[in-house]
Amino acid sequence: MEVRRLPAHLMRASDTDRDLTIERLAVAFTEGRLDHDEYERRVGEALNAVLVGELRSLTADIPAPALAVPAPRPHRERERPSRPTPASRGPARSEWGEEWRWWSGAGVLLTAMWATASLVGGEFIPYWPLVPLGIWAAVLLASAIWPGDTEPPA
């Protein structure tokens, strides 16, 4: 028996397909590729999409995300210095900045969700993004204060 596959534009979309499309739209929004109204419109269309082709048309004008594949590092035993050196005090500046960029992007996205919920509800609701952003910021600061595999002093 021959199995025929439908073309992608005629195939029914799954919940995962919708979720992946919404994630890609969120990234495009945080990168500044979409304004707030366009983002909201496309997310609404993604949630109502029935076919994979409908989802693909929502992201057709957005560049594909670059896959960040870290370069392999040679494995070697690390020596524990007796005194902390500048390199062992915490993450490098570029890594530190990258972590805070991710935090800022999430802050923009969560704030947009909060603002949308407030506008739809007709009144400002408490600023709930403060909780996840605060926890994340605390973890980032703790990793700067207590770097490496050691635990904080008791």
Side-chain angles (χ1 to χ4, degrees):
M1 184 160 116
E2 183 181 320
V3 177
R4 290 188 188 178
R5 289 187 54 96
L6 288 173
H9 69 279
L10 297 177
M11 203 177 307
R12 294 188 67 85
S14 68
D15 289 340
T16 303
D17 294 331
R18 288 182 201 83
D19 292 342
L20 290 172
T21 300
I22 292 170
E23 269 185 46
R24 192 157 167 209
L25 291 171
V27 169
F29 176 69
T30 58
E31 292 175 342
R33 296 181 191 281
L34 299 174
D35 64 20
H36 186 264
D37 294 334
E38 182 69 13
Y39 169 74
E40 290 295 323
R41 182 186 66 76
R42 290 187 189 202
V43 167
E45 288 181 24
L47 290 171
N48 293 319
V50 176
L51 303 174
V52 173
E54 295 173 51
L55 294 174
R56 287 189 179 163
S57 68
L58 296 173
T59 58
D61 60 341
I62 299 171
L67 297 177
V69 178
R73 295 182 185 175
H75 179 70
R76 60 183 172 153
E77 292 294 321
R78 285 200 279 177
E79 295 178 18
R80 298 277 182 194
S82 57
R83 290 182 16 192
T85 61
S88 66
R89 287 192 184 136
R93 270 193 195 271
S94 62
E95 292 176 19
W96 179 256
E98 184 68 24
E99 291 292 333
W100 283 105
R101 277 190 287 281
W102 277 101
W103 182 88
S104 298
V108 168
L109 182 63
L110 293 175
T111 300
M113 292 169 56
W114 166 80
T116 302
S118 293
L119 291 174
V120 168
E123 63 182 1
F124 284 108
I125 57 176
Y127 186 69
W128 58 263
L130 186 61
V131 173
L133 292 174
I135 293 170
W136 192 353
V139 169
L140 288 175
L141 291 173
S143 71
I145 295 169
W146 297 291
D149 300 332
T150 61
E151 293 191 14

